[in-house]
Amino acid sequence: MPMPNLARLSCALLVGALFTLPSLRAAPAAIAPRPALMAPRAASSLMLDVAQVGSGYVAVGERGQILRSADGKKWRQVPVPVRAALTAISFVDARNGWAVGHDAVILSTRDGGASWALQQFEPEMEKPLLDVLFVDRRRGFAVGAFGLFLRTVDGGASWSPVNAPVVDEDELNLHAIVRLGNDDLLIVGEQGRLLLSTDAGRSWSKQVSPMEATVFAAAAYGSSGSLICGLRGQAWLSKAVRDGGWQAIATGSGQALHACAVFGRSQALLAGAEGTVLLADLARRQAQRLKSPAAGTWSAIAVGDGSGATVLAGERGLHLLKRPSGS
Amino acid sequence: MSTRPRRRVGARLKSALESVIFAHRRLLLAVLLAITLLLAEQASRLTLEAGFDRAQPVRHPYSQVDLRHRDVFDGANPVRIAVLRSDGDLYDPVFLMRVKALTDGLAALPGIDRRHLRSLFTPEVRYVEVVEGRYFGGSVVPAEFDPEHATPAELARLRRNVAKAGITGRYVSADRRGVLIEAAWLARDPDTGQPFDQHQIMQGIDDVLRAARATSGGDFSVHVSGAPALARALAEEVPQALLVAAGGLLLSAVLLVFMIGAARVATISLSCMVIQMIWQLGLIQLAGLRLDPDAAWALAVTATAGLLSMAQFGLRWLDNSADGGHAGFSASLRSWHQLAWPLTVVLLTATAAAAALALISDVPLIRQIAVVTALGLLAALPITLLALPILLSWTGTARIGWRLADWFDARLASLGQLARPWLGLFVMVAVGALAGVSGWLQRDQPVEPAATDLARLSPANPAKADGAKLAAAFPRNVREFRVIVEADPDACTDPEVMEQVDRLVWQLENLPMVTGSTALPQAQRRVLTAFADGSPKFRVLPRNRETLRQAMAPISADTGLHADGCATLPISLYLSRRDAESLLAVANEVERFNTANAAEFFDSHRDVDAAYCAEQRRLRPLGPLPEPMRRSCPVEGQLAAGPLGASLARQQALLAFRGPAALVLAAALAAGCWLLLGDALATVAVLLPLALAGWIGLGLMAISGLALTQLTLTLWLMCLAAGLVGHLLIVRHLHDRLKAGHPLMAALRAALVAHGRILLVALAMAAGFALWILADYPAQRGAGKLLAIGWSVIAVSGLLVLPAFASLLLAGAPARAGRD
């Protein structure tokens, strides 16, 4: 017997209201950042993002844990000054990177992820950051819930809201921001929202979207294209995002896809709810299901270049993905 | 000076009693016989029952937490019933019909606590599912599900619901071959107000099982665990245990005849011992107790102590009849005159020591062992000093006593050599070394292993296999360690509380022996993702109350994730191991969290401090908090509810109990010795060898594989109290002789000849107990080992160690006596 069954839209509105409602009890004191617990099982708890950094990997997770690995198999936790959930990381080179998360946390590293410094901690804002992208060591963007959109031009020393009504007018959740092959920037989010900037983030425009449901992730494809994926197993490909021309990928899945990564000449990995892992042939726009290394929901993929391993991050932690040979 | 009038009063009392007893022997015996019949009738109504909480230290803080929440989480008297298919999985219409029938049948039993009945077919077993911005919830088995006409689609849905509910290993077996039904009985029968009889509960379960079997085929097996099943299993052990005990007693009896050297006296003593046990059992029933199977071993302790006293009387009677050529009557009168006072003091002292132990312990089992011991020792007194003298007074002395007696006397007399300083010194050094070795051996002795009661059943006992099957099929059910957070009402929606609970869970999940957990924050996180299209990036506890309130909508109290209007939040941890060390590790981690979290909390909440929160914690169980006491305090993990928590409490309480128990026992015994001897050094001469025996005995138990448990520790202490008989009589005799001016060695020889033989009787009993290792019943093997080791050590200590110490301590006594 289905329980109170909220329509998706009203739900989104509700959550908007809820997260912004002032808490009923006055906060007893300013909330101070507390360091993440060093935990032996950090690598098997909910991990939300993973990236290849240099020849190794860095991953972030639900309790502020940041882990490093040389091979994607053995992970070592590093000290982090906050214990808020970290949702995304972005590195511009093997040394300089940033991580963002709940409590509007922004962290930075200058040594490839060995040590982290707190750049921003705004729990009273009650808005989580959901993705971060740096285009070089100085210029970066962070997107989050309810249209939260921040930028920096000084490597994160100071962050300011981006003044772009088209981005934040509906207070939709912005799930990801990517840089395309032609340096255009693409933000994806709730209600199939696609926002494009062709001038390095100065101005933004709403794109016609092939999706009405939430887009969770995007990846650059080719010289100016992109692969996007989201709710109900939907994935779409455009060879030139400025022109639209989105084509559906036959995923054969109805599960939400939370992560996608393009690799090789025209291949992609998509991963999401209930242990869904798909290998897509972008030329033929078809996907086949791969055996998931663990159950639960996946939230991020890092495809190692060269002989590097492919790492999945999700509900059951970090796992190596065995890709079928020849792919 | 002051002792003289008392002595005179004592002497007058003694002669008064003497004339009453010996002048009205027939009448007195008739009275004793009547009492015996009365008590035998009582004893016949005594039931054997292992109470549910018998081993729980009720004053221990963990037990307090457990008792506060037991009713909400487990019910007063939980029973688990596993129903496993022999072939195929549980998604079979016929099998599901049986499970439904069983559930319905149990629900209809009298006294069952329906709030705690859980199976696939009770609506409280629910699932919550989050799909893209919606959540669904429902009973795993929908109300309209009819197993008899279930379609493949419905079965497939049931399979999915089970997966979503996360009940595999709990209500559904790990291999999906069967299900578990949890039931609980009310603490008391609502009609009569009496506690439920375990046998009666088990009978009800059996009827339901039989009915379920009758309605369908039998390709499934049923395994019941819980106190009622244990009670039945223990009852099944009784006949064989009694047979083995009887065999042991027979061996002891044969040896006893040789030790006493007179078949008639030995037979009368043994008969008196049997009467003593009848009295003891009758008194237990009169005291309103149900005999715990573990406390029953104390009967062996008191029987031995009684037999020692009776043998002592018999031996003295033999001596008197041989020595002075007295006839039965006058020998008995003479013996009574000599032994009435010391035996009264010894038996009452041991009784008082046992009673003191019962008073200081808060563990029902320990108290019962002590009470049973005290009642047995008390019963031994009238039997030894009334029944036995009367019976012996009618016994002929012609051609009684064997040459063998002289041989024993000669051996005992030779032990008088121990009065030589160099020999005594050698014994002391040897005993000191043994004591050191014993301490070393005890280091590795397991303390209260978390073994279930089932582990102590015979291999052939079906309940043992039942328990093992249940544990293997439902690991989450038997390896659950519960930590409880007691907070303000509505804590479920207090972000600050939930953040701390969440952190506590996470910290505990990181322990190597913790394989998983169930707690409210995890469920809240799962529901919250529903508000954000199911994105895992929103699987985070929010910082505001309203959002948490939304998260609570599908999480009812039926889930067991919260109780008492959200003031009680249980955290269930599933452990890979259940040994004492692992339990302690979890407990320590909880303490570590509590300390660190409190420090962090007080750091950011200057309006409260440790004292305020301690007061709040004290007040909370008493009712709603008064307004000024309602400020937020740090979350504290409370140990330890559930069976594994109880095991940890037992272990900690036992370690804490060991020292005080030994001290109280020593104090009680010292008081008795002082009363009889009136001399500090003589008191030390009795107690020091006994204490050393106690310590060395513990080491011997450790190497013989006995764990330190409530049973072994208490039984051993009771042995030591009862073992006072031989030691005290020897020292008293020695002390008296020395005061009378006898030379040390002669006095020691005389004392050993007069009383040493009862320690040989103790050895005879030890041999009988040693025979118990042939039993199938592990608990009996353990008790047999303990009693055999115990009484041997006590005997050896009395015969070898005591002479050495007493000689040293009392060598100066004649001089003092001379000064008097």
Side-chain angles (χ1 to χ4, degrees):
Chain A
M1 181 175 87
M3 290 252 311
N5 181 346
L6 307 174
R8 209 188 60 78
L9 184 64
S10 66
C11 187
L13 290 175
L14 177 68
V15 81
L18 296 178
F19 272 85
T20 45
L21 258 181
S23 82
L24 294 183
R25 246 192 200 180
I31 304 161
R34 304 256 182 211
L37 190 79
M38 299 299 281
R41 292 204 171 130
S44 51
S45 66
L46 173 61
M47 297 300 296
L48 294 170
D49 200 8
V50 57
Q52 194 178 29
V53 177
S55 61
Y57 298 85
V58 177
V60 298
E62 61 170 335
R63 291 167 197 275
Q65 73 269 36
I66 299 186
L67 293 103
R68 303 174 76 200
S69 173
D71 54 6
K73 274 186 227 158
K74 279 189 173 169
W75 294 86
R76 209 162 44 79
Q77 197 182 358
V78 298
V80 177
V82 286
R83 55 173 80 132
L86 299 177
T87 53
I89 39 171
S90 170
F91 276 79
V92 290
D93 51 41
R95 304 186 64 80
N96 293 286
W98 290 260
V100 299
H102 283 255
D103 289 343
V105 157
I106 304 176
L107 296 157
S108 69
T109 178
R110 292 177 175 282
D111 51 14
S115 67
W116 293 83
L118 192 57
Q119 291 189 332
Q120 176 173 294
F121 178 73
E122 299 277 357
E124 284 81 7
M125 200 193 276
E126 297 201 14
K127 283 185 187 179
L129 287 167
L130 300 174
D131 201 10
V132 58
L133 171 73
F134 270 74
V135 293
D136 56 40
R137 285 189 199 181
R138 306 184 60 79
R139 289 178 302 146
F141 303 88
V143 295
F146 323 121
L148 180 60
F149 187 20
L150 306 173
R151 73 178 296 168
T152 180
V153 290
D154 52 12
S158 64
W159 289 85
S160 53
V162 177
N163 184 17
V166 70
V167 176
D168 61 11
E169 61 191 354
D170 318 329
E171 296 208 333
L172 295 176
N173 289 342
L174 306 175
H175 283 286
I177 175 166
V178 287
R179 176 153 70 148
L180 306 182
N182 58 356
D183 287 346
D184 283 2
L185 300 173
L186 175 67
I187 295 176
V188 299
E190 238 178 325
Q191 295 180 18
R193 188 59 48 95
L194 301 180
L195 301 157
L196 189 70
S197 171
T198 53
D199 53 6
R202 274 184 288 278
S203 66
W204 293 83
S205 63
K206 211 187 282 186
Q207 296 294 108
V208 176
S209 174
M211 284 176 71
E212 287 178 4
T214 297
V215 185
F216 284 122
Y221 172 65
S223 57
S224 62
S226 175
L227 170 71
I228 61 172
C229 61
L231 279 179
R232 289 170 215 150
Q234 292 197 56
W236 295 77
L237 185 71
S238 166
K239 285 183 178 138
V241 175
R242 289 185 192 188
D243 307 334
W246 294 95
Q247 290 179 302
I249 309 278
T251 60
S253 166
Q255 299 289 353
L257 297 171
H258 294 290
C260 54
V262 174
F263 64 97
R265 212 180 305 159
S266 62
Q267 282 187 306
L269 279 169
L270 302 126
E274 306 283 325
T276 306
V277 183
L278 306 171
L279 176 64
D281 179 340
L282 298 178
R284 296 170 54 210
R285 294 189 301 285
Q286 288 206 327
Q288 68 182 88
R289 202 180 167 110
L290 300 184
K291 187 174 167 11
S292 178
T297 297
W298 297 114
S299 59
I301 308 173
V303 179
D305 44 68
S307 60
T310 296
V311 178
L312 285 169
E315 210 175 340
R316 304 284 164 90
L318 297 158
H319 291 267
L320 282 178
L321 177 70
K322 277 204 195 101
R323 270 184 278 153
S325 53
S327 63
Chain B
M1 285 288 272
S2 64
T3 58
R4 285 212 173 155
R6 216 195 302 155
R7 279 254 167 89
R8 248 182 282 137
V9 172
R12 240 184 292 155
L13 184 68
K14 201 154 77 174
S15 60
L17 275 173
E18 205 174 86
S19 53
V20 170
I21 293 165
F22 285 90
H24 306 94
R25 284 178 292 163
R26 278 171 212 285
L27 177 67
L28 206 57
L29 199 66
V31 171
L32 289 175
L33 200 65
I35 296 176
T36 306
L37 287 175
L38 200 78
L39 289 174
E41 193 273 331
Q42 288 288 326
S44 70
R45 287 193 278 148
L46 185 64
T47 52
L48 203 61
E49 181 170 322
F52 181 67
D53 268 333
R54 59 211 255 271
Q56 216 45 18
V58 293
R59 284 199 296 263
H60 193 280
Y62 295 177
S63 303
Q64 299 278 317
V65 176
D66 190 21
L67 290 173
R68 271 208 293 282
H69 301 292
R70 161 122 14 108
D71 188 49
V72 172
F73 294 120
D74 296 314
N77 205 345
V79 176
R80 284 166 176 158
I81 302 165
V83 191
L84 299 172
R85 279 189 86 187
S86 29
D87 218 6
D89 70 10
L90 69 99
Y91 303 102
D92 169 73
V94 179
F95 180 73
L96 290 171
M97 267 166 62
R98 285 170 195 150
V99 176
K100 187 168 168 26
L102 275 174
T103 310
D104 294 345
L106 287 169
L109 282 177
I112 193 155
D113 190 347
R114 276 182 202 82
R115 296 169 308 154
H116 291 296
L117 185 65
R118 293 282 183 280
S119 101
L120 266 188
F121 286 94
T122 56
E124 294 87 355
V125 175
R126 305 175 69 84
Y127 72 95
V128 174
E129 178 186 16
V130 174
V131 183
E132 297 190 357
R134 305 164 191 215
Y135 57 76
F136 300 87
S139 298
V140 169
V141 175
E144 65 275 11
F145 181 81
D146 175 8
E148 201 175 347
H149 305 105
T151 61
E154 281 177 315
L155 290 174
R157 184 174 159 211
L158 177 60
R159 199 188 290 261
R160 278 200 304 275
N161 288 356
V162 165
K164 283 172 210 150
I167 52 173
T168 305
R170 184 165 184 91
Y171 297 116
V172 167
S173 72
D175 58 7
R176 290 162 186 82
R177 268 201 308 129
V179 302
L180 187 83
I181 305 176
E182 282 181 357
W185 267 256
L186 298 168
R188 286 170 186 283
D189 188 327
D191 297 330
T192 63
Q194 291 295 311
F196 272 105
D197 181 358
Q198 305 287 9
H199 299 287
Q200 189 189 324
I201 294 177
M202 198 61 206
Q203 197 60 53
I205 296 174
D206 275 343
D207 291 343
V208 172
L209 294 181
R210 209 169 307 120
R213 275 185 205 282
T215 53
S216 46
D219 79 322
F220 65 100
S221 59
V222 177
H223 313 276
V224 184
S225 89
L230 184 66
R232 164 181 295 178
L234 288 171
E236 280 168 14
E237 303 281 3
V238 170
Q240 211 228 0
L242 284 177
L243 198 69
V244 172
L249 190 62
L250 194 68
L251 174 65
S252 298
V254 171
L255 292 173
L256 183 77
V257 172
F258 285 101
M259 300 293 177
I260 294 187
R264 245 174 284 173
V265 176
T267 311
I268 293 173
S269 302
L270 272 171
S271 314
C272 285
M273 185 191 86
V274 173
I275 295 170
Q276 174 207 337
M277 289 179 80
I278 292 172
W279 280 45
Q280 181 178 17
L281 291 169
L283 288 173
I284 294 169
Q285 168 71 14
L286 274 182
L289 297 175
R290 294 178 182 190
L291 186 60
D292 190 293
D294 275 342
W297 306 122
L299 290 165
V301 175
T302 51
T304 307
L307 188 64
L308 295 196
S309 313
M310 294 163 200
Q312 177 61 71
F313 196 95
L315 287 166
R316 179 53 57 87
W317 179 85
L318 277 174
D319 281 349
N320 284 332
S321 52
D323 256 14
H326 292 281
F329 176 80
S330 51
S332 186
L333 187 63
R334 210 173 133 82
S335 308
W336 195 89
H337 195 81
Q338 291 163 336
L339 289 172
W341 174 239
L343 281 179
T344 304
V345 172
V346 167
L347 288 173
L348 286 182
T349 302
T351 305
L357 207 67
L359 280 180
I360 63 160
S361 172
D362 61 345
V363 180
L365 177 61
I366 293 181
R367 294 170 70 114
Q368 200 186 86
I369 295 172
V371 167
V372 167
T373 308
L375 291 177
L377 294 168
L378 211 57
L381 192 61
I383 309 294
T384 311
L385 293 178
L386 298 178
L388 185 61
I390 293 172
L391 289 174
L392 285 176
S393 73
W394 289 318
T395 306
T397 53
R399 284 186 287 112
I400 203 163
W402 303 345
R403 282 277 170 80
L404 198 60
D406 300 333
W407 184 84
F408 278 122
D409 284 348
R411 299 286 90 70
L412 289 169
S414 66
L415 289 175
Q417 298 291 330
L418 287 164
R420 292 183 196 282
W422 62 269
L423 208 52
L425 207 64
F426 172 76
V427 168
M428 282 180 216
V429 170
V431 168
L434 277 176
V437 172
S438 169
W440 182 74
L441 289 172
Q442 286 173 53
R443 273 184 335 161
D444 296 331
Q445 187 179 25
V447 176
E448 174 68 39
T452 54
D453 286 309
L454 294 174
R456 298 189 299 113
L457 296 174
S458 302
N461 198 312
K464 188 161 190 159
D466 276 349
K469 282 228 173 85
L470 201 144
F474 302 94
R476 290 215 146 183
N477 230 313
V478 292
R479 302 244 166 104
E480 181 187 353
F481 186 95
R482 208 177 289 141
V483 178
I484 284 179
V485 172
E486 293 173 335
D488 301 316
D490 295 330
C492 303
T493 53
D494 185 331
E496 207 170 24
V497 172
M498 293 317 298
E499 185 275 331
Q500 295 173 74
V501 174
D502 187 44
R503 201 149 32 81
L504 169 59
V505 174
W506 173 233
Q507 200 166 321
L508 294 173
E509 273 184 343
N510 273 285
L511 290 171
M513 72 291 292
V514 176
T515 58
S517 70
T518 309
L520 181 61
Q522 299 156 351
Q524 289 177 327
R525 286 157 174 266
R526 208 164 32 241
V527 174
L528 280 169
T529 59
F531 299 133
D533 296 326
S535 164
K537 290 187 178 180
F538 283 84
R539 203 159 148 173
V540 167
L541 291 177
R543 287 197 189 267
N544 77 65
R545 211 174 250 275
E546 270 313 307
T547 313
L548 274 175
R549 208 182 300 270
Q550 290 297 321
M552 288 304 293
I555 309 175
S556 66
D558 293 335
T559 55
L561 294 174
H562 59 91
D564 307 326
C566 268
T568 303
L569 309 174
I571 300 168
S572 290
L573 303 171
Y574 307 108
L575 307 187
S576 56
R577 300 194 305 266
R578 39 183 297 167
D579 52 302
E581 217 171 288
S582 302
L583 299 184
L584 202 61
V586 178
N588 288 340
E589 192 67 19
V590 171
E591 291 302 331
R592 228 184 331 268
F593 170 86
N594 288 348
T595 314
N597 183 55
E600 204 172 83
F601 191 92
F602 294 137
D603 202 38
S604 55
H605 297 70
R606 299 291 179 174
D607 58 334
V608 290
D609 56 17
Y612 177 90
C613 290
E615 178 64 7
Q616 190 190 60
R617 211 160 39 246
R618 191 185 67 78
L619 291 174
R620 207 191 298 278
L622 307 177
L625 292 171
E627 189 56 41
M629 290 311 293
R630 289 191 195 160
R631 286 179 222 153
S632 293
C633 276
V635 160
E636 211 172 63
Q638 302 268 5
L639 298 161
L644 291 192
S647 168
L648 181 64
R650 286 203 296 274
Q651 181 197 343
Q652 295 195 345
L654 184 64
L655 289 175
F657 180 66
R658 207 165 32 164
L663 280 180
V664 164
L665 195 75
L669 296 183
C673 293
W674 176 262
L675 185 67
L676 193 67
L677 303 169
D679 184 286
L681 280 178
T683 300
V684 173
V686 178
L687 291 186
L688 192 58
L690 207 56
L692 284 166
W695 181 251
I696 292 168
L698 283 176
L700 287 173
M701 286 172 209
I703 46 166
S704 66
L706 285 172
L708 186 74
T709 66
Q710 293 166 336
L711 173 64
T712 55
L713 178 70
T714 317
L715 213 54
W716 181 217
L717 290 174
M718 292 298 98
C719 277
L720 289 170
L724 182 72
V725 183
H727 284 58
L728 185 52
L729 291 177
I730 293 173
V731 170
R732 177 171 182 268
H733 199 112
L734 173 66
H735 192 236
D736 283 353
R737 293 247 167 169
L738 289 175
K739 275 206 289 195
H742 291 249
L744 178 64
M745 198 178 296
L748 187 59
R749 276 167 188 273
L752 286 168
V753 169
H755 303 288
R757 241 191 298 165
I758 62 169
L759 292 172
L760 297 180
V761 172
L763 281 176
M765 288 301 280
F769 294 133
L771 214 61
W772 289 11
I773 56 165
L774 298 178
D776 278 339
Y777 182 27
Q780 187 173 24
R781 283 205 300 274
K785 263 190 221 172
L786 187 146
L787 292 166
I789 292 172
W791 284 109
S792 309
V793 171
I794 289 171
V796 170
S797 126
L799 292 174
L800 295 177
V801 183
L802 183 141
F805 279 92
S807 305
L808 181 82
L809 288 164
L810 302 178
R816 271 184 286 134
R819 265 205 308 276
D820 270 1

